[in-house]
Amino acid sequence: MSRLLSMLQTPVGHAEASWALLLRRGIYTSPVAQKNIRAGQIKSSINANLPLTYEQAQKPHKIGVTKAWNSWNTSNLTGETKDSAATTLEDLFIRQFMKGTWHNYLASEVIIKRRLNVVIVSFIAERQLNARNFYFLVGYTEEMLSTILKRPIKVELQTVRRKRDMTFKLI
Amino acid sequence: MASADQISHESMVNQSLRFKMARSSVSCKYSEFSMVVIPGHNHTGDSVERRRRPELPVIPPREKSMPIDQDWTTVWPTASTFKWSAVPLPIRQGRVFVCFKNFSESNIFNYFHSQKAEQDGIPPGKYGNLELMKIPNFLHLTPNHIKKHCAALKEFCTEWPEGLETDEKCKKHFPVEVISSDYIVDSISLRDPRARTVCIKINLSSLDLDSHAKDKFIRLVGDRYNADTGELTLELDRCPMKKQNHDYGIYLLSALFKESWKTEGWESEKTVDDMEMYVWSMNESKKNTQQITEVMKKAAENPSCKVPEYVLKSENVLETEPVQEYAAAVEDLHNVGEDLHSLEKYKEQVKKMLLAQ
């Protein structure tokens, strides 16, 4: 731009030559791409030893391409706007509840699937507890969530030996 | 300056010694006094072992103990999230992007030697694979499952009614078609405002209407009638419930039918000039045809004259097939317009009506 201005401000004797130069060069414009390419992407560590799960390794724009959604319900479908806000809010609540109830045992994100009025909560837990305690937590989660949300909740969990079994990539 | 440095150094050493003494007091069992520990100089005895949580006993995955000829429907009876331990298939899911730029062998083998990392270039297996848990699976809908479903449903099935074998027969006996949609959602409420809409379809040919009633019916329904297919479509969505809309639709249909059969007093005043289209029976053409047929009847008394057979056979000549077809051809010529097809048809019908075969 400054170059352009300087060309315009040339003395009278050189004006003709400057305009010729301007015409020959032309002006190139392009729209500004204001896209956020850093959200949801984990920075790599110095030693490249930060373990990531498959879910974390896939960047947000890959949802629906290399990784699937974490919430499966009909209000996510195209054109279905009914109750989508309420469903999203409920999902948020369930995730917070799981984070608190299964504190430190969650080895993955919580997947919430809905079928009619049933909410299916599935996730992967680390095998830190014995089976009895796991069964207690499952029952507790189901009972509490169905009391709060007033509909049947199913917990379908799987366990891994340790969290690092979930590692997909080191960055 | 130098003395100040010295003091600060001494105080640091004292501090660290005191700290070490306090820590080692636990491990020194034989002495009444705690031992002075100089880091790197004397042996401090057994270091405190880090407690390791014992491995919890785990039942081996179910897939390992599955016989080859097992009944899969008992393993996976209903829809469920994918369970790697119960599915005896070598499944992998995940996209692997092999990038050799950040490849560091030592890192992987130091920390995660038992884990397949992305750098190995292999899609993640089924163990601890969240992607497999996300996607809907059809492990509960194998052919054997479907067979079981069918067997269970069979006792609730009834015979298909006789006489309704084809779509044509169904349409003949049940001419009214009612279309409505149910919306199944997984949200809090089962109600959906779109479910109230009802569409009722009927072909006018299946209604018992004469030409006057049909004409009136079509005028009453307006653009809900499709002239090409002869179908009437009623879209009903003004009531809040589906049942109400359906009932209103059926009421509307019967009201239309009854109304179209009514003939008002002023309708008899309609003349040829008021007609919207050419009607053969109201025009000169009918009179002319009648005259011609009468002439032909008289001429038939003369044996040398040949007249068409239909003139002699029936008493009411205008109701016979050749005359009616001629009438249709004339109406077509006036109402649809002149083209090669209608002219050809007119010619044929005139020949059939006037000439002896």
Side-chain angles (χ1 to χ4, degrees):
Chain A
M1 198 64 203
S2 61
R3 205 186 157 91
L4 185 71
L5 284 173
S6 69
M7 283 199 294
L8 290 172
Q9 289 163 354
T10 46
V12 183
H14 299 290
E16 215 175 302
S18 305
W19 279 110
L21 188 68
L22 192 69
L23 283 172
R24 194 166 68 246
R25 288 171 67 99
I27 302 168
Y28 295 94
T29 59
S30 61
V32 183
Q34 288 177 325
K35 68 173 182 182
N36 185 355
I37 52 161
R38 289 191 295 175
Q41 299 187 11
I42 296 164
K43 271 186 158 185
S44 56
S45 62
I46 297 165
N47 297 327
N49 59 2
L50 180 70
L52 295 187
T53 62
Y54 183 84
E55 175 79 23
Q56 290 164 335
Q58 307 297 321
K59 291 167 185 174
H61 67 273
K62 295 283 182 147
I63 296 171
V65 184
T66 59
K67 69 170 175 182
W69 297 263
N70 288 350
S71 294
W72 289 72
N73 53 60
T74 52
S75 63
N76 276 351
L77 299 171
T78 316
E80 299 289 328
T81 52
K82 192 176 160 282
D83 289 334
S84 53
T87 310
T88 312
L89 198 68
E90 264 186 21
D91 285 1
L92 213 64
F93 170 74
I94 293 169
R95 292 216 166 86
Q96 286 285 77
F97 182 90
M98 298 301 289
K99 206 175 158 187
T101 308
W102 297 80
H103 186 70
N104 214 21
Y105 305 143
L106 284 180
S108 74
E109 281 73 16
V110 177
I111 298 157
I112 302 165
K113 297 186 219 172
R114 285 155 194 267
R115 204 179 296 139
L116 295 177
N117 69 336
V118 184
V119 182
I120 298 152
V121 180
S122 56
F123 59 96
I124 296 174
E126 196 182 23
R127 230 176 276 150
Q128 286 183 14
L129 298 168
N130 52 33
R132 203 170 135 187
N133 294 7
F134 264 127
Y135 282 127
F136 169 76
L137 274 181
V138 167
Y140 173 80
T141 309
E142 284 183 350
E143 196 62 36
M144 287 300 280
L145 281 178
S146 22
T147 311
I148 295 163
L149 303 177
K150 297 180 181 63
R151 73 186 87 160
I153 312 285
K154 269 191 199 172
V155 172
E156 292 183 347
L157 95 155
Q158 288 181 42
T159 55
V160 289
R161 188 158 157 253
R162 55 204 165 184
K163 273 178 192 165
R164 72 182 192 205
D165 286 359
M166 298 289 292
T167 307
F168 171 70
K169 190 182 183 182
L170 304 167
I171 61 167
Chain B
M1 286 300 289
S3 62
D5 276 349
Q6 218 167 5
I7 292 159
S8 67
H9 181 248
E10 273 177 19
S11 69
M12 272 171 67
V13 170
N14 283 342
Q15 269 184 5
S16 70
L17 279 180
R18 242 179 278 139
F19 176 65
K20 286 288 172 188
M21 278 157 68
R23 276 197 64 184
S24 59
S25 64
V26 183
S27 57
C28 295
K29 296 164 189 170
Y30 308 110
S31 170
E32 197 178 334
F33 303 102
S34 51
M35 216 171 87
V36 177
V37 179
I38 300 164
H41 181 258
N42 48 0
H43 183 60
T44 53
D46 300 330
S47 60
V48 182
E49 274 193 17
R50 277 189 70 189
R51 256 194 210 170
R52 292 192 66 189
R53 195 190 296 274
E55 284 281 333
L56 295 164
V58 183
I59 308 162
R62 194 178 170 183
E63 59 165 336
K64 302 280 181 199
S65 56
M66 281 178 177
I68 296 163
D69 57 345
Q70 69 174 341
D71 182 13
W72 178 248
T73 56
T74 57
V75 179
W76 208 280
T78 52
S80 172
T81 305
F82 183 84
K83 276 193 274 300
W84 69 270
S85 58
V87 181
L89 303 168
I91 300 169
R92 290 179 176 276
Q93 166 128 358
R95 167 78 162 79
V96 174
F97 179 72
V98 181
C99 176
F100 291 101
K101 199 174 75 182
N102 295 329
F103 186 80
S104 170
E105 204 172 281
S106 61
N107 278 335
I108 293 167
F109 287 98
N110 284 344
Y111 291 91
F112 306 104
H113 47 83
S114 63
Q115 178 63 37
K116 296 282 180 210
E118 191 187 19
Q119 283 87 342
D120 290 353
I122 306 163
K126 60 181 176 174
Y127 169 66
N129 194 331
L130 198 67
E131 292 305 305
L132 283 170
M133 290 167 72
K134 284 180 190 177
I135 52 166
N137 63 60
F138 293 92
L139 295 167
H140 62 292
L141 289 174
T142 61
N144 282 348
H145 281 97
I146 304 293
K147 271 178 203 162
K148 278 195 172 182
H149 294 170
C150 291
L153 288 171
K154 201 160 192 178
E155 61 176 296
F156 301 108
C157 297
T158 52
E159 287 280 316
W160 186 257
E162 273 179 42
L164 293 176
E165 286 80 17
T166 59
D167 287 352
E168 287 75 33
K169 283 180 180 174
C170 287
K171 216 153 201 181
K172 192 190 162 200
H173 295 293
F174 301 98
V176 182
E177 192 181 347
V178 180
I179 302 164
S180 65
S181 303
D182 291 319
Y183 291 84
I184 299 175
V185 290
D186 54 22
S187 62
I188 300 140
S189 171
L190 289 173
R191 313 270 170 255
D192 197 300
R194 291 169 295 176
R196 75 182 196 284
T197 318
V198 175
C199 177
I200 292 180
K201 282 183 180 180
I202 187 167
N203 203 313
L204 284 205
S205 60
S206 57
L207 290 176
D208 182 23
L209 298 167
D210 66 357
S211 59
H212 164 263
K214 192 177 178 185
D215 181 53
K216 204 165 180 180
F217 198 102
I218 291 165
R219 279 160 195 275
L220 284 170
V221 295
D223 60 357
R224 293 173 192 86
Y225 174 71
N226 185 351
D228 297 333
T229 56
E231 202 170 48
L232 168 74
T233 310
L234 295 174
E235 289 274 358
L236 305 144
D237 61 350
R238 57 175 64 184
C239 300
M241 304 303 286
K242 185 185 282 178
K243 174 88 168 52
Q244 293 169 334
N245 277 318
H246 174 261
D247 290 353
Y248 174 62
I250 299 298
Y251 158 74
L252 208 59
L253 206 58
S254 45
L256 279 168
F257 182 76
K258 295 259 167 64
E259 203 60 35
S260 58
W261 269 105
K262 279 185 193 166
T263 311
E264 304 291 340
W266 45 262
E267 282 183 46
S268 58
E269 292 165 19
K270 205 174 179 184
T271 59
V272 179
D273 295 338
D274 296 329
M275 297 306 286
E276 302 73 22
M277 51 164 68
Y278 182 88
V279 182
W280 180 77
S281 55
M282 291 177 81
N283 275 284
E284 281 294 301
S285 178
K286 189 190 172 186
K287 287 177 194 168
N288 294 343
T289 312
Q290 202 162 12
Q291 280 175 9
I292 289 165
T293 47
E294 277 166 16
V295 170
M296 283 198 287
K297 262 189 183 176
K298 276 181 188 169
E301 290 164 9
N302 186 354
S304 63
C305 263
K306 276 188 179 175
V307 291
E309 286 176 15
Y310 76 92
V311 179
L312 304 173
K313 275 184 182 171
S314 79
E315 287 184 5
N316 194 356
V317 183
L318 291 184
E319 295 297 314
T320 52
E321 197 187 327
V323 178
Q324 285 298 316
E325 279 177 1
Y326 165 74
V330 176
E331 278 181 353
D332 200 36
L333 209 58
H334 278 94
N335 295 331
V336 179
E338 281 185 19
D339 54 19
L340 275 177
H341 176 70
S342 58
L343 279 173
E344 187 63 28
K345 199 178 156 197
Y346 178 68
K347 178 186 161 191
E348 288 301 317
Q349 295 308 328
V350 169
K351 275 160 78 179
K352 208 185 266 184
M353 188 177 73
L354 296 181
L355 302 178
Q357 300 299 315

